[in-house]
């Protein structure tokens, strides 16, 4: 019985089509691979051609199905083309994980500039909005679907030296809640996942700039460590699964207890 349940869990997305943005590495890649292992046909979207093709190749090598589509999520025509290509290739879109985002501040608010504000808001907020806009149009036609947006613990509380990033992730949380309320009766569930600090290339780059922050950051976590990309992937897949069929408008915090104190 245990073996049978494990197989069912592993193939929970058999026959489903799942889209992951920002899938060339980090949390996006981990989630795309997890969808592939669970039986989904995966649409890998990212600006990075090499990284995107590599993620798709990993899924195929593991016995799954994947399609890479180079996409800049800040451009409406590219996002619309991404959805159109998904539907023309696989026939539908069941699940979407809107994960593309940037994080580049580590400055007090008065020291940030307009260009930085525009870059962060353009990717993190406009990108999530455009993805949902076109995904929802397709899912409304189908009468079903599940969307998960990557927010952050910085979308729930303040984040000193990351004011713009925090503002962008608060915006993602707000859009998620609003869209969930608007589209629930259309058979579409919309949630967000709110990671704490996760071991990804993005974190590595940040710690290269300020290596002294590693110990102080880790000490903030009651669990005593940073998270791993696969732990966020597990949360995203659960939110997209039938096991979460009564969950919508929710912010699933995966942060090792950071926001508990």
């Amino acid at each position: 019985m245990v073996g049978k349940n494990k197989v069912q869990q592993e193939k929970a997305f058999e026959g489903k089509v799942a889209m992951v943005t920002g899938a060339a590495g980090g949390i996006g890649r981990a989630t795309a691979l997890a969808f592939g292992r669970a039986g989904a046909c995966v649409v890998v979207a990212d600006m990075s051609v090499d990284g995107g093709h590599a993620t798709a190749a990993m899924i195929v090598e593991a016995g799954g199905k994947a399609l890479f589509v180079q996409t800049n999520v800040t451009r409406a025509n590219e996002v619309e083309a991404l959805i159109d290509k998904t539907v023309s290739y696989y026939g539908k879109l069941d699940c979407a994980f809107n994960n593309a985002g940037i994080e580049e501040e580590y400055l007090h608010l008065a020291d940030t500039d307009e260009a930085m504000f525009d870059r962060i808001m353009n990717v993190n907020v406009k990108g999530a909005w455009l993805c949902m806009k076109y995904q929802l149009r397709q899912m409304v036609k189908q009468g079903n679907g599940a969307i998960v947006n990557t927010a952050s613990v910085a979308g729930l509380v303040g984040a000193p030296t990351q004011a713009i990033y925090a503002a962008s992730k608060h915006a993602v949380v707000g859009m998620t809640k609003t869209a969930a309320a608007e589209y629930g009766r259309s058979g579409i569930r919309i949630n967000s996942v709110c990671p704490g600090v996760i071991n990804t290339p993005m974190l590595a780059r940040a710690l290269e700039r300020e290596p002294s922050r590693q110990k102080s950051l880790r000490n903030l976590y009651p669990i005593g460590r940073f998270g791993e990309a696969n732990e966020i992937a597990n949360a995203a897949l659960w939110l997209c699964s039938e096991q979460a069929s009564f969950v919508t408008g929710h912010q699933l915090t995966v942060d090792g207890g950071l926001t508990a104190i």
Side-chain angles (χ1 to χ4, degrees):
M1 182 63 71
V2 173
K4 182 179 179 181
N5 288 339
K6 184 177 180 182
V7 170
Q8 289 174 338
Q9 289 172 357
E10 287 177 348
K11 296 301 179 183
F13 290 88
E14 193 78 53
K16 301 288 188 180
V17 178
M19 172 184 294
V20 181
T21 70
I27 291 170
R29 172 173 286 175
T31 306
L33 293 174
F35 270 123
R37 288 193 298 271
C41 299
V42 186
V43 180
V44 175
D46 203 290
M47 286 182 64
S48 170
V49 174
D50 290 343
H53 277 304
T55 298
M58 290 176 190
I59 295 169
V60 173
E61 287 168 7
K65 297 178 181 179
L67 168 70
F68 169 62
V69 183
Q70 185 181 18
T71 308
N72 181 338
V73 297
T74 70
R75 296 177 179 171
N77 63 322
E78 293 193 24
V79 176
E80 185 175 19
L82 169 65
I83 303 330
D84 288 345
K85 189 163 186 178
T86 297
V87 176
S88 65
Y89 199 85
Y90 286 125
K92 58 178 180 172
L93 175 61
D94 298 294
C95 311
F97 182 44
N98 297 322
N99 172 69
I102 59 172
E103 175 183 354
E104 60 175 32
E105 289 171 85
Y106 302 106
L107 294 169
H108 289 145
L109 190 147
D111 298 322
T112 57
D113 58 36
E114 187 174 1
M116 180 180 290
F117 181 93
D118 289 343
R119 280 195 304 274
I120 293 172
M121 288 295 180
N122 203 34
V123 177
N124 294 1
V125 182
K126 183 182 178 183
W129 166 68
L130 283 173
C131 286
M132 283 198 290
K133 174 185 173 76
Y134 291 106
Q135 291 158 357
L136 283 165
R137 289 182 177 182
Q138 173 60 31
M139 290 177 176
V140 167
K141 291 178 186 177
Q142 298 171 180
N144 60 77
I147 296 173
V148 177
N149 298 314
T150 297
S152 168
V153 292
L156 304 174
V157 297
T161 73
Q162 291 184 290
I164 303 170
Y165 179 77
S168 74
K169 292 305 185 178
H170 273 75
V172 170
V173 169
M175 284 194 295
T176 299
K177 289 180 177 180
T178 302
E182 290 177 345
Y183 290 94
R185 293 185 185 276
S186 298
I188 304 165
R189 297 185 301 102
I190 307 165
N191 296 287
S192 70
V193 62
C194 298
V197 174
I198 306 298
N199 275 321
T200 64
M202 183 183 286
L203 173 63
R205 289 192 295 270
L207 293 178
E208 279 179 13
R209 293 193 296 270
E210 294 184 85
S212 61
R213 296 188 75 228
Q214 181 163 342
K215 184 176 180 181
S216 61
L217 276 174
R218 187 177 284 114
N219 287 341
L220 293 173
Y221 289 81
I223 207 167
R225 64 174 177 85
F226 296 146
E228 299 296 334
N230 69 291
E231 292 174 311
I232 307 305
N234 291 338
L237 262 68
W238 181 77
L239 287 171
C240 286
S241 75
E242 288 303 313
Q243 293 179 337
S245 57
F246 199 55
V247 180
T248 194
H250 179 62
Q251 284 40 255
L252 180 55
T253 305
V254 187
D255 70 349
L258 175 66
T259 54
I261 56 176

